[in-house]
Amino acid sequence: MALLEINEVAAGYGEVQVLRQVTLQVRQGSLVSLIGANGAGKTTMARAASGLLKVTDGSVSFDGRDVTHLPAYRRAGLGLTMVPEGRELFAGMTVRENLEMGAVSKRAQARAADNLSRVLELFPVLQERTEQRAATMSGGEQQMLAIARGLMADPKLLIIDELSLGLAPKLVTQLLEVIRGLKREGQSILLTEQNVVKALKVSDYTYVMADGSIELEGPSEDIRGREEIRQAYLGM
Ligand code: ATP
């Protein structure tokens, strides 16, 4: 059984249905990307998986448990953590305070000291700025802080929504290197990305979303290597 299993999920906003019968899995220890154009439904999917958005049909299971009707904070307690699009940091708080806020569950609190050393080692720039307020950091530093805060939750699965949004290409490459490093350490990750080329390069398996449905899926390497798919779905 996969760590995260999204089964024929439908979800939307009020009368507007966005997701249609979405089925997706993240296996333990894998790095999976969900790619698609602007407005395809990636963020909606990430929110449905993490419990921030109610699903109207289908089911979500995590770590062997049906979590379809569990609110986000309960899913977080089970180890399902999302780094949201736009980061949503506590702007007036320092780097250290933001990181401390990430240790949401009892389990995470018990491991907070270890996890703090780990994330500061992973992102040395945060180590130099522990007392700086989040609002005064650059976009790239804020994204590092958002990922680090997510890791402070001691996640079994980290969902990162739009990692590259608004960041310079070089910085995106750097952050994806860190993500790959986390995966090598055994961290399971679901990455939603508009940056198709980079997402296909780093991930093990890819789902392509369009108009709220999964149009295509497969090992990232296969998808990357197929000219007709790249042209038809990815505009590459
Ligand atoms: P992006 O890369 O721009 O974030 P996305 O693939 O993540 O795109 P979503 O943000 O999930 O796409 O949006 C999917 C659809 O749902 C879009 O048509 C969008 O307009 C709509 N939508 C998103 N959020 C809301 C909302 N709060 N209320 C109503 N419609 C919404």
Side-chain angles (χ1 to χ4, degrees):
M1 196 178 203
L3 181 59
L4 177 70
E5 296 205 345
I6 305 283
N7 190 28
E8 308 216 329
V9 154
Y13 306 94
E15 297 289 288
V16 185
Q17 190 185 357
V18 175
L19 302 180
R20 292 158 217 281
Q21 294 207 305
V22 173
T23 294
L24 171 159
Q25 298 187 340
V26 181
R27 292 181 191 285
Q28 179 73 47
S30 68
L31 170 48
V32 173
S33 65
L34 174 62
I35 60 179
N38 210 328
K42 305 180 298 295
T43 295
T44 304
M45 185 62 252
R47 292 169 58 84
S50 59
L52 292 169
L53 185 68
K54 243 174 104 166
V55 307
T56 49
D57 203 6
S59 65
V60 180
S61 66
F62 179 68
D63 206 12
R65 193 171 154 170
D66 185 345
V67 298
T68 314
H69 303 292
L70 280 193
Y73 78 94
R74 297 271 313 273
R75 294 188 206 190
L78 296 174
L80 177 51
T81 299
M82 176 158 92
V83 178
E85 179 178 1
R87 294 137 208 166
E88 297 180 17
L89 296 166
F90 301 104
M93 291 188 181
T94 64
V95 166
R96 177 187 298 280
E97 288 164 343
N98 268 278
L99 291 174
E100 285 166 359
M101 296 294 282
V104 284
S105 65
K106 275 208 178 114
R107 188 168 53 92
Q109 277 161 19
R111 296 185 40 86
D114 281 354
N115 284 333
L116 185 63
S117 319
R118 175 183 178 226
V119 301
L120 293 179
E121 200 176 306
L122 211 54
F123 298 108
V125 69
L126 299 182
Q127 171 94 63
E128 294 158 17
R129 290 156 189 255
T130 48
E131 304 314 318
Q132 185 172 331
R133 285 198 304 140
T136 64
M137 312 267 283
S138 73
E141 289 161 358
Q142 290 192 19
Q143 185 60 291
M144 291 178 202
L145 179 54
I147 295 168
R149 187 181 60 179
L151 290 169
M152 288 297 293
D154 205 43
K156 289 182 186 149
L157 174 65
L158 191 62
I159 301 180
I160 306 177
D161 193 19
E162 299 287 0
L163 175 91
S164 71
L165 199 72
L167 302 181
K170 207 171 143 193
L171 200 61
V172 175
T173 305
Q174 228 180 49
L175 279 175
L176 286 172
E177 265 314 303
V178 173
I179 299 301
R180 231 203 306 227
L182 288 171
K183 186 233 129 107
R184 276 196 296 268
E185 287 174 17
Q187 177 72 58
S188 310
I189 300 164
L190 173 62
L191 189 66
T192 84
E193 260 300 333
Q194 272 185 51
N195 191 326
V196 166
V197 179
K198 286 185 171 158
L200 281 172
K201 256 190 200 154
V202 297
S203 58
D204 304 313
Y205 198 88
T206 293
Y207 291 88
V208 182
M209 184 170 249
D211 282 334
S213 300
I214 302 294
E215 294 280 316
L216 184 77
E217 62 172 277
S220 305
E221 216 180 321
D222 292 357
I223 293 185
R224 208 150 58 108
R226 285 169 59 188
E227 179 75 31
E228 77 282 9
I229 288 179
R230 295 197 344 221
Q231 282 184 5
Y233 294 99
L234 313 175
M236 290 162 71

